[in-house]
Amino acid sequence: MKIYLKHNRNCEIVLRAVHKNNRKQTKLCDCDPKHWNESAQMITGDHPQFEKIYPYLQEIIKRSREPQLKLEKDLDKVMHYVLNGVNTDPDFLEFIDEYLQSRKQVANELENRKNLTERNREMGHIKHYNTVFEKLKDYYSYINYSQIDSWWCQQLQQKLHEDVYISDATANSYMSRVKSLYSKMILKYRLPDAAGFNAVPKLRVSQRSYEARKKRLDDTSMMTFINADLSGNQERARDIFVALFDLCGCDLTDLYFLERKQLHRGRIFFERSKVRGSSMDLMVSDRLNDFIEKYAVNGDKYLFPWRKDLKGYHTFRDNARRDLRRGAAKLDIKDITGGEITMKCARHTFASRSKEMGIDGDLLRELMGHRRNDIDNYYKEAYPEKVRDQAHSRVISF
């Protein structure tokens, strides 16, 4: 590999690489011959852009002398590395680790700024990808970029399919996350996409797996649960479940971190933590108002007094799930599939009840905070508050 001055019409400094009978060269910059030292193969100190060009050329020379380049036979990769200073065959696992560490730093900064909603979203993002990272480490000690082709993708999918600890639905989810991380890596290193993830068909998931996502309570069970005489933590867990239902099936984290300023004149405003840009504007029903008066505290930034650090939230969430199961078991209440109820059942119950009542699909998406596509956003206006409130009230009334 050599840098030299090419004496053509413009006089260019050129980088040339040779391997056996293959040659590659590329222009680095223009240079007047009087500013070029032929013996040193370098620009002279009186070059008008010396301070900018000299360090650039020195860095290229330094990279071109790295010993691992002698093992690389692909001149395109060699030139790419020497010019851009990036690894042409990065380790996928190392990249994921670095990516997760960078996201953790962002989460810590959000924690320091007391932006707990964004911090929780970031931590969920980290957890989302960390599960895949741990699974990949179980299968591989390293994964170079050059290994990741369509065959590798198929082999990974087969490993996930045969893994006794995960379902096929989870395997499909893991493949999507691996594809996402791979896309981030090739974007960072400016590498071509050679993986072919789209050529790998998803695993077929049994109907039972899809039904598991639709766990909900029927009207009789829901009414029984709302009016049941419970006490202590089981009562609180039941009340939270009903509050989530009354908030159109919102997520627990959105209720948990509600701020007092988000409650205004009988309405509640928040952004769904799981869907960026999905702003919610819901009426406060009488039952929800009773819940707020029962558990809210005065004078604090947040509506409810529960711990706002991440560990505190996770402890509260896990305890609430357990108490909800125990309270439902005491009343012999199960979801329509015969299983134990979860906090997520509140969302499925609201959605299913809305559909049974014939609530328009677009209106239901607006009430539940589902993001529309760009065409819908452009051509469809938001439903008036009165229309939303009427539909909302119909669904939560028993």
Side-chain angles (χ1 to χ4, degrees):
M1 185 162 285
K2 179 183 179 181
I3 292 178
Y4 68 98
L5 184 67
K6 185 175 182 179
H7 295 275
N8 53 11
R9 180 180 299 177
N10 297 322
C11 289
E12 304 167 339
I13 299 176
V14 173
L15 173 66
R16 182 175 66 183
V18 179
H19 178 72
K20 295 184 179 180
N21 295 325
N22 297 323
R23 295 186 180 187
K24 293 283 183 180
Q25 67 179 36
T26 186
K27 172 185 172 181
L28 298 178
C29 60
D30 294 325
C31 181
D32 192 305
K34 68 181 180 181
H35 296 138
W36 180 257
N37 186 329
E38 192 67 35
S39 61
Q41 293 292 291
M42 183 54 63
I43 61 173
T44 58
D46 57 351
H47 191 290
Q49 292 184 299
F50 178 83
E51 293 183 358
K52 179 181 179 180
I53 295 178
Y54 180 78
Y56 172 61
L57 295 178
Q58 287 293 332
E59 187 63 30
I60 287 177
I61 292 171
K62 179 182 176 182
R63 292 187 201 124
S64 68
R65 292 173 178 172
E66 293 183 8
Q68 69 267 24
L69 290 184
K70 295 180 180 180
L71 303 175
E72 180 58 65
K73 298 179 181 180
D74 190 330
L75 286 185
D76 288 329
K77 289 185 177 181
V78 171
M79 294 290 275
H80 187 278
Y81 174 73
V82 171
L83 292 173
N84 298 293
V86 294
N87 193 347
T88 59
D89 197 15
D91 186 323
F92 190 33
L93 294 180
E94 288 184 4
F95 166 78
I96 298 174
D97 188 35
E98 292 171 2
Y99 175 75
L100 292 175
Q101 293 303 321
S102 68
R103 302 318 302 175
K104 288 176 183 177
Q105 290 178 3
V106 172
N108 290 336
E109 291 173 5
L110 292 170
E111 174 100 35
N112 294 335
R113 296 204 300 264
K114 306 298 182 183
N115 190 341
L116 302 184
T117 301
E118 286 297 321
R119 178 212 58 190
N120 291 339
R121 181 182 283 122
E122 194 65 38
M123 290 303 295
H125 179 91
I126 293 167
K127 183 179 180 181
H128 186 73
Y129 286 113
N130 192 64
T131 52
V132 177
F133 182 43
E134 295 299 326
K135 185 59 66 175
L136 287 175
K137 288 194 297 183
D138 288 342
Y139 298 155
Y140 308 98
S141 57
Y142 65 90
I143 310 170
N144 287 341
Y145 160 77
S146 57
Q147 296 177 245
I148 305 176
D149 54 17
S150 58
W151 174 251
W152 183 88
C153 296
Q154 293 175 30
Q155 292 299 304
L156 173 60
Q157 186 186 62
Q158 187 63 28
K159 288 177 183 289
L160 293 169
H161 174 62
E162 295 173 352
D163 195 316
V164 297
Y165 296 103
I166 60 176
S167 66
D168 283 352
T170 302
N172 285 336
S173 175
Y174 279 17
M175 287 295 293
S176 296
R177 297 178 206 177
V178 172
K179 177 184 177 182
S180 176
L181 289 166
Y182 174 81
S183 298
K184 296 177 191 302
M185 182 181 72
I186 63 175
L187 182 64
K188 174 182 177 180
Y189 291 107
R190 291 173 283 180
L191 296 167
D193 183 356
F197 278 96
N198 293 334
V200 182
K202 289 186 176 181
L203 295 170
R204 294 188 63 182
V205 181
S206 66
Q207 186 65 27
R208 183 179 178 184
S209 296
Y210 286 114
E211 287 298 325
R213 302 180 188 179
K214 304 303 178 186
K215 292 183 176 182
R216 63 180 178 87
L217 298 185
D218 58 33
D219 289 354
T220 302
S221 297
M222 190 67 186
M223 194 162 16
T224 301
F225 204 32
I226 291 173
N227 298 319
D229 184 18
L230 296 172
S231 61
N233 291 336
Q234 292 176 15
E235 179 186 14
R236 184 181 69 175
R238 185 273 315 273
D239 291 347
I240 291 172
F241 179 88
V242 176
L244 297 179
F245 173 77
D246 288 342
L247 284 169
C248 301
C250 85
D251 300 299
L252 177 60
T253 183
D254 296 326
L255 177 70
Y256 190 92
F257 288 96
L258 274 176
E259 297 183 18
R260 186 165 296 280
K261 65 181 181 181
Q262 293 173 285
L263 190 65
H264 183 66
R265 293 186 178 181
R267 304 198 69 79
I268 199 160
F269 306 88
F270 62 95
E271 181 178 301
R272 280 197 70 202
S273 58
K274 291 189 176 181
V275 184
R276 285 185 184 275
S278 179
S279 298
M280 308 290 290
D281 171 11
L282 303 173
M283 71 171 194
V284 177
S285 64
D286 291 340
R287 188 167 58 215
L288 181 60
N289 190 62
D290 291 341
F291 171 84
I292 293 172
E293 290 183 354
K294 184 175 181 179
Y295 293 101
V297 292
N298 294 321
D300 193 19
K301 173 183 177 181
Y302 294 96
L303 202 55
F304 303 110
W306 310 314
R307 284 173 53 186
K308 295 302 183 286
D309 59 288
L310 199 59
K311 184 177 181 181
Y313 167 69
H314 287 161
T315 301
F316 182 95
R317 178 198 62 191
D318 295 342
N319 289 341
R321 288 172 175 172
R322 179 200 63 209
D323 296 332
L324 182 69
R325 290 194 301 269
R326 290 177 177 176
K330 182 182 292 186
L331 301 168
D332 196 27
I333 292 176
K334 298 180 180 180
D335 64 51
I336 60 170
T337 68
E340 294 181 330
I341 72 171
T342 64
M343 290 294 178
K344 200 68 175 178
C345 285
R347 185 169 182 83
H348 296 322
T349 301
F350 182 89
S352 298
R353 188 169 161 80
S354 299
K355 291 178 180 178
E356 290 169 356
M357 291 182 168
I359 303 297
D360 181 77
D362 287 328
L363 176 55
L364 179 57
R365 278 193 289 273
E366 197 164 318
L367 288 172
M368 299 189 69
H370 285 165
R371 179 181 290 170
R372 292 174 169 180
N373 60 36
D374 291 339
I375 293 177
D376 278 348
N377 284 334
Y378 186 82
Y379 288 104
K380 294 183 180 178
E381 297 291 338
Y383 283 85
E385 181 180 293
K386 183 178 180 180
V387 175
R388 287 186 282 116
D389 288 353
Q390 287 176 345
H392 185 179
S393 181
R394 279 182 60 200
V395 177
I396 65 175
S397 297
F398 284 92

